[in-house]
Each structure stands twice: as C-alpha cells, then as structure tokens.
Amino acid sequence: MTVEDDRGIRIARVEVTVYRAPVETPVVNAFGTMTDRPAVIVKVIDRDGAQGLGEAWCNFPTCGAEHRARLIETFLGPLLLEQAFDSPDHAYRHLSGRAHRLALQAAEPGPLAQAIAGLDIALSDLAARRAGRPLWAWLSPEAPARVSGTGASMPAYASGINPGGAVEQAVGAWDAGFRAFKLKIGFGSERDLANLAALREMLGGEVPIAVDANQAWDLDEAVRMSRALAEHGPHWLEEPLAVDRPDEEWLRLAQASPVPLAGGENLRGRAAFDRAVRLGALRVLQPDVAKWGGLSGCIGVARAALAAGRRYCPHYLGGGIGLLASAHLLAAVGGDGMLEVDSNPNPLREGLAAPFPELRDGRFVLGDAPGLGVEPDPEVERFAVLRLAV
C-alpha cells in the first residue's frame, strides 16, 4: 500500500488526555478502592484531519492513568507515525509486535497492552467515521438481527454495586431503567450473603443478579461460597479465583459450583482466551476492550466464545469512550450477551460520550452516527489533568 492509497490509514498526530473526576462515594472492590474516577482518552488524527477516539484502562494503581498516557506519548504514539496502515488491525499487530520486547524488558505487559487497546479503539473509530458508518456496522457488515434501521440495542446491567448501601444503589439503578444487576462480593461471607439476599428480596426472583468476587478466594472458599450463594439464584459468579490459579482448580470449581462461572477481564492475549474456551470452566467470557486487544483483538475472542457455545458479555468499568466501544462490539457480534454499565456516579462516563445513549426498557440503544457516534462534552474538560501530543 502507498501513502496515497485512500483506503489506508496515515496518522499525522496522536493526542492523549488524562482526566480525573472526584467522587463523593469511593468505588470499592475486594482488592482496592477508587477514590476518584480516572480516564485516559486517545485521539488519533489522520493526514486529512479526520479523527478517532479511544480509551485505555487505567483504574489501578492510582498513578496508572498518567503512566499509560506517557507510554503512548513516548513510545507507542511515535510508532503510529512511522508508516501507513491497511487497517486498524494492521496497526494493532504492528504496535503489539514492536512492544513485545519492551514489555518483557520492563515486565509491563499489562500497561502496554492497555495503551495499545486505547489506540486501537481510536483507529477503529477513525476508520468507521471515514467510512460514514456506525462502528457496530463497520465491524460487522452482516449485522445481527438485533440491529434495526434506527441503530442497535442490547440488554444492559447495572454493575459496581458496592457492599455498603447495596439495596439503595440498586433501587437507584432500577429507577434509571436497568433490569439486571451485578453485586460486588468478597467482603466476608456474612456480608456478601446478606447483601445478595437483600437484593433478591427487593428485586424478586426473576431479575438477573450476577456477583463479582474480584479474585478474592482460594479454591475451598470459592466452592463453599458458590454453594451458599446459589440459594439466592445469582446469574453468574465472576472471578471467584485468582486468574492465574491452575486449570485443575478452575475445573474443580466449575464442577462443584451450582452457579455458572464468569471471567476474562484479566486474561491477556488470544492464546489465553482460546485456552479458557477449550478448558470450559468459564461459561461467560468477559474480555475488556480497553484492557487488552481493543476492538481488533476482542472481536475474534467474542466470535470464538460464541462459536463454542459460551456467552460473551464484555467487561467494562471506566469512562464513556470505552463503554461505547464495548457496546458497539457487542452489537456487532450478536449473541445473548449483556452490556456492563457502571451504576456509580462518574461524570467521565456521560461527559466523555455525548450525546450519551438512552436506556430503554433495560436496553442500551446505539444510533446510526458514524463511528462511536459521540464526542466529549466541553464541560468535561475541567477534569483534564494532563495533555500530551505526538
């Protein structure tokens, strides 16, 4: 391909902005607490001035956002300016290949993968905008039946329900239009079971309520808790074990648990996901487009999961650009998955993705605007703490 080939991608500039929004109520996980809401937003601009937006995962550690932005500024961004690319996937493979040895040398495969994922989302958004098509349609020309002439929609669930005030948070999410939920657990069996029982009593027996342990338990505790939780009918049990536990532990838990197991947000690389699909312990696969793979990597994982009879439900907990990318990918691949939407207040969710999609009857609705179909609201710029460019 030559630079003059209009079908290709030639990047002239890469911009990256770190946002930090204060929150009144911290977001609590079994392994840590978020005292503000960060986001790393990438903008790629091609030689004709067309733009695309992406987001890199940056929630932990607390200094992680600035570090990932610097990786883009000093290393990955310049690599995009070196040559023209046939497609976002071509650029993704180029960046991943060039970063491989640095990831080994620095022992930082995660941060580099997350920065590459943000760039890939931005390149995919750029390509879809240039094609004049919504991202879900650009990703999958043979769009599934859920796609209509006015856009695409998928069921969404309210996640991030904290151990303190779980019922009140779920009531607020119900009033906002959600009809499925996910409770954070891993805070001691008494508290976990009491919270799930209270949610089940309040929401009724038919409403899906998943639970997420965030890798909190060893095998014996996971088996015990899976059986105790089952009394309240959880939709799935997410990350009950550390992601690096041996395959035999995951298989033993899957055989013992009355509740289907879910995971994938902390897997990295196509080989790891293919192995998880072959192993069969996880019934729900949850890759995170901003954490590994971007759209170029995760679309193959999602299709492989569906082909193997698994359920694809993208993981996501961040700003609005990554959320929209997750929604477009889910719309493109189809299946019976649900979109994860954090139910905690976060001005970087709606503010970075305006106009923010509607939630109708428990479904997240995408439109037909080109690309992601959103832009940051100027009001959100008050949360910017670092701006870099290549």
Side-chain angles (χ1 to χ4, degrees), residues 184-360:
K184 289 187 176 294
I185 58 174
F187 304 95
S189 59
E190 184 175 348
R191 191 178 195 187
D192 292 344
L193 292 169
N195 274 334
L196 181 56
L199 288 184
R200 179 57 71 202
E201 181 178 2
M202 187 269 291
L203 294 169
E206 301 303 316
V207 173
I209 308 173
V211 291
D212 184 357
N214 286 122
Q215 309 184 79
W217 303 320
D218 62 18
L219 177 59
D220 290 341
E221 180 74 353
V223 170
R224 186 183 71 80
M225 283 299 296
S226 71
R227 292 169 175 167
L229 292 163
E231 178 183 347
H232 307 292
H235 204 53
W236 67 64
L237 171 55
E238 189 170 327
E239 288 200 320
L241 301 175
V243 70
D244 63 351
R245 296 309 300 161
D247 288 353
E248 54 266 28
E249 289 194 11
W250 280 98
L251 284 174
R252 285 173 59 191
L253 177 58
Q255 292 163 1
S257 173
V259 184
L261 304 184
E265 69 177 275
N266 290 310
L267 294 177
R268 187 178 60 253
R270 180 60 187 268
F273 281 101
D274 286 346
R275 180 178 176 179
V277 169
R278 288 194 303 270
L279 187 67
L282 299 178
R283 302 308 303 172
V284 183
L285 268 290
Q286 301 170 303
D288 188 317
V289 296
K291 205 167 192 181
W292 170 82
L295 295 163
S296 294
C298 285
I299 192 168
V301 167
R303 287 171 171 160
L306 293 175
R310 309 294 190 271
R311 194 176 186 190
Y312 165 62
C313 294
H315 174 271
Y316 191 70
L317 191 80
I321 297 299
L323 175 61
L324 265 291
S326 302
H328 279 267
L329 180 55
L330 182 56
V333 301
D336 63 347
M338 295 192 295
L339 180 70
E340 179 171 17
V341 182
D342 180 19
S343 62
N344 292 283
N346 183 1
L348 300 183
R349 182 173 51 246
E350 293 83 359
L352 286 171
F356 195 73
E358 292 182 81
L359 190 69
R360 299 178 193 161

Side-chain angles (χ1 to χ4, degrees), residues 97-123:
R98 291 290 295 273
H100 178 66
R101 281 181 290 179
L102 178 60
L104 295 175
Q105 182 70 28
E108 285 203 321
L112 283 162
Q114 293 146 19
I116 292 171
L119 288 165
D120 179 81
I121 294 168
L123 291 167

Side-chain angles (χ1 to χ4, degrees), residues 20-25 35-37 345-347 383:
R20 287 192 176 277
V23 292
E24 291 184 6
T25 303
T35 55
D36 67 10
R37 303 306 301 267
N346 183 1
F383 299 119

